[in-house]
Amino acid sequence: MRKILIVGGGYAGFYTAWKLEKKLRRGEAEVTVVDPKPYLTYQPFLPEVVAGSVEARHAAVSLRRHLRRTRVIAATVTAIDHRHRVVIAKPADGAAVELGYDLIVVTAGAVTRKFPVPGIGATAIGLKHVEEAVAIRDRLLTAFDRAAALPPGPRRQKLLTVTFVGGGFSGVEGFGELLSLATGLLKRYPEIAGDELRFHLVEASGRILPEVTERPGRWVVRELERRGGHVHLATQVTSAVDGRVVLSTGEEFDSDLIVWTAGNGANPVVGNHTDLPVDERGFVVVRPDLRVGTDDAPVPDAWAAGDAAAVPDLAVPGHRTVPNAQHAYRQGKHLARNIIATLRGRTPKEYVHHSLGTIATLGLGRGIFQYRRLVITGLLAWLMHRGYHVLAVPSWERKARVLAIWLTQGLFGRDILSLASVQHPRDAFVAGGEPPMSSALPAGLPDHDRTAGTAGPVRR
């Protein structure tokens, strides 16, 4: 029995394993998926998790629940030695182990691309994982609670200032959804005026959403600015020390919440710790049929797909496929079919995908869709976005849960409860109900002063 090892349980890895389970004959091969997280994150839902339109758990798909005939190992692959057909995997607890294989599939995905901007590493939050999306939402809701109790001033303004760095899909969708949530919160917080909100979107290039053409991109900028956002094009963040954002234009402001969405970079395990061929950017070199290598120098028994691979785009000669969910989903299924074809002595087929268009959410009831010259904006595009993704999220169970949440919100609105304290679950236990030191009354006051303002006398 052939041993197939899949490195990474994201889109491409999950769909490769899922398709192999359905197509492999009994005893034909055994499949193992190695990933540090036991679930697939459905990243197109992250902006809606930020806004509270999708429950955090519903944006994740359990690997063990849906890959029932696949061995799932919760570990991080730290090295790939294809020459000896072995990988090194490090679980969260215990020593690293060697995993042997006959055939490897590299779908490790990409990581958030960071730049050496002072302060970013200590203050910013990414938007690539469901935990980050939850943290962003809770930070905003908590900031509203804290700001409402403060008088006007620099501290209050910092709490009500949000900065997104990066104008790609993640940045624009996250920015639009969080802005929609913030403006919706105003009716629940009469202490806060609309003009106190400061939302900044910073993009280094001269336009946002490079996947759409220039005219729809300009419309998105106007739409966000009409709603109170500030879009800074051809601008870079030069510093963010202690939340003090400094732009290359010279503008400065304090921001309590900074979200970094400045694109993807190569996974360091793939780029630095493997003997498989990688390009100058650290992505695995693959052929159009998703086998690792080139036409002149193929690598036997090695496949790659998704954001970790430099897949040639046969629909746009001279380019590689865009690292997004649409390609990773299709590449994963195509890769599984090609693996089965080679196991059975057939020739694998090249991956060709013609885009179905580009669609993005910009907040509740707002969106944009483009297919060639056709551009749809507003409510209809937003409904198309929701319809597409509720069909695309894996498993009928997840589709039903997401749809139920949306229907409930249509009746009762979005939940505005913050659970930021979940990130520090022991605080209440350790404090034991004691008030913060800053709120304690000075020692030496008489009893009647200490009880002033209570409902009645203190009984002893």
Side-chain angles (χ1 to χ4, degrees):
M1 186 183 296
R2 301 270 284 176
K3 295 182 179 180
I4 301 174
L5 180 66
I6 301 175
V7 179
Y11 281 101
F14 175 84
Y15 278 104
T16 299
W18 208 14
K19 195 76 172 179
L20 285 173
E21 280 194 351
K22 296 177 181 180
K23 298 295 183 181
L24 284 171
R25 300 167 183 156
R26 185 175 297 275
E28 190 171 15
E30 63 178 31
V31 182
T32 300
V33 173
V34 184
D35 195 285
K37 295 184 177 180
Y39 55 83
L40 152 74
T41 299
Y42 190 72
Q43 292 183 359
F45 276 160
L46 293 187
E48 297 208 50
V49 173
V50 165
S53 298
V54 170
E55 189 70 28
R57 287 174 297 175
H58 300 166
V61 179
S62 170
L63 299 180
R64 291 184 180 273
R65 176 167 184 167
H66 297 286
L67 300 179
R68 299 175 182 175
R69 293 190 289 116
T70 296
R71 182 188 179 195
V72 177
I73 299 177
T76 300
V77 171
T78 59
I80 301 173
D81 183 359
H82 188 62
R83 179 182 177 185
H84 298 96
R85 301 295 195 274
V86 67
V87 303
I88 307 300
K90 179 67 173 69
D93 302 294
V97 296
E98 289 189 357
L99 301 175
Y101 63 85
D102 298 306
L103 186 152
I104 192 169
V105 176
V106 180
T107 55
V111 297
T112 301
R113 182 177 59 182
K114 292 180 287 187
F115 298 99
V117 178
I120 284 294
T123 59
I125 303 176
L127 187 52
K128 197 172 183 63
H129 305 284
V130 67
E131 298 89 348
E132 295 172 325
V134 172
I136 292 169
R137 167 181 162 77
D138 285 343
R139 279 280 291 274
L140 180 76
L141 293 172
T142 302
F144 264 71
D145 286 328
R146 294 169 63 188
L150 290 174
R155 182 56 188 154
R156 176 179 169 120
Q157 187 58 71
K158 182 177 181 178
L159 288 167
L160 297 175
T161 301
V162 176
T163 305
F164 274 70
V165 185
F169 258 90
S170 294
V172 170
E173 289 191 315
F175 183 84
E177 287 286 351
L178 199 64
L179 178 59
S180 175
L181 173 62
T183 53
L185 287 174
L186 291 174
K187 62 183 178 182
R188 306 292 183 186
Y189 290 84
E191 306 92 337
I192 299 175
D195 58 6
E196 291 186 89
L197 296 181
R198 298 284 190 275
F199 271 68
H200 299 270
L201 175 62
V202 184
E203 168 56 38
S205 68
R207 52 172 299 192
I208 61 174
L209 290 181
E211 291 84 357
V212 302
T213 55
E214 189 171 350
R215 185 175 179 182
R218 291 197 302 267
W219 177 87
V220 173
V221 171
R222 293 195 302 271
E223 168 67 12
L224 294 175
E225 290 182 335
R226 183 187 65 80
R227 291 161 51 193
H230 304 274
V231 181
H232 307 265
L233 299 178
T235 305
Q236 297 178 336
V237 174
T238 60
S239 177
V241 176
D242 296 329
R244 182 68 178 178
V245 177
V246 181
L247 304 182
S248 57
T249 58
E251 185 176 353
E252 297 184 23
F253 50 85
D254 290 321
S255 181
D256 186 65
L257 176 57
I258 302 173
V259 184
W260 185 268
T261 59
N264 295 326
N267 191 307
V269 173
V270 174
N272 304 323
H273 303 284
T274 177
D275 56 354
L276 295 173
V278 296
D279 64 13
E280 66 282 356
R281 297 168 297 173
F283 296 96
V284 181
V285 176
V286 299
R287 296 149 46 118
D289 60 6
L290 304 181
R291 286 187 287 187
V292 174
T294 64
D295 292 336
D296 298 328
V299 178
D301 301 323
W303 303 76
D307 293 356
V311 181
D313 192 346
L314 299 185
V316 186
H319 293 75
R320 57 164 288 190
T321 57
V322 178
N324 61 19
Q326 189 176 133
H327 279 295
Y329 156 73
R330 289 169 174 79
Q331 287 171 10
K333 296 201 298 184
H334 187 85
L335 194 155
R337 288 192 291 266
N338 277 355
I339 289 176
I340 291 172
T342 57
L343 290 177
R344 299 173 185 173
R346 300 196 301 268
T347 302
K349 297 181 179 180
E350 295 181 335
Y351 172 77
V352 184
H353 171 64
H354 296 280
S355 176
L356 302 176
T358 300
I359 194 165
T361 175
L362 302 175
L364 194 64
R366 302 173 177 91
I368 183 170
F369 168 79
Q370 180 176 17
Y371 177 69
R372 297 182 180 178
R373 295 185 178 181
L374 174 64
V375 177
I376 299 174
T377 61
L379 178 62
L380 179 57
W382 178 76
L383 292 172
M384 293 169 64
H385 178 274
R386 287 205 159 183
Y388 172 79
H389 285 297
V390 79
L391 293 175
V393 67
S395 83
W396 285 103
E397 172 253 345
R398 276 297 180 262
K399 299 179 199 298
R401 291 182 186 274
V402 171
L403 188 59
I405 288 291
W406 283 341
L407 293 175
T408 303
Q409 290 177 352
L411 294 174
F412 303 109
R414 289 186 290 203
D415 195 330
I416 62 170
L417 177 66
S418 169
L419 292 177
S421 58
V422 170
Q423 299 172 39
H424 306 281
R426 297 186 66 252
D427 285 359
F429 173 74
V430 173
E434 286 290 335
M437 292 298 294
S438 60
S439 64
L441 290 173
L445 290 180
D447 284 349
H448 63 82
D449 287 333
R450 289 180 176 275
T451 59
T454 60
V458 177
R459 300 185 182 275
R460 303 183 184 276

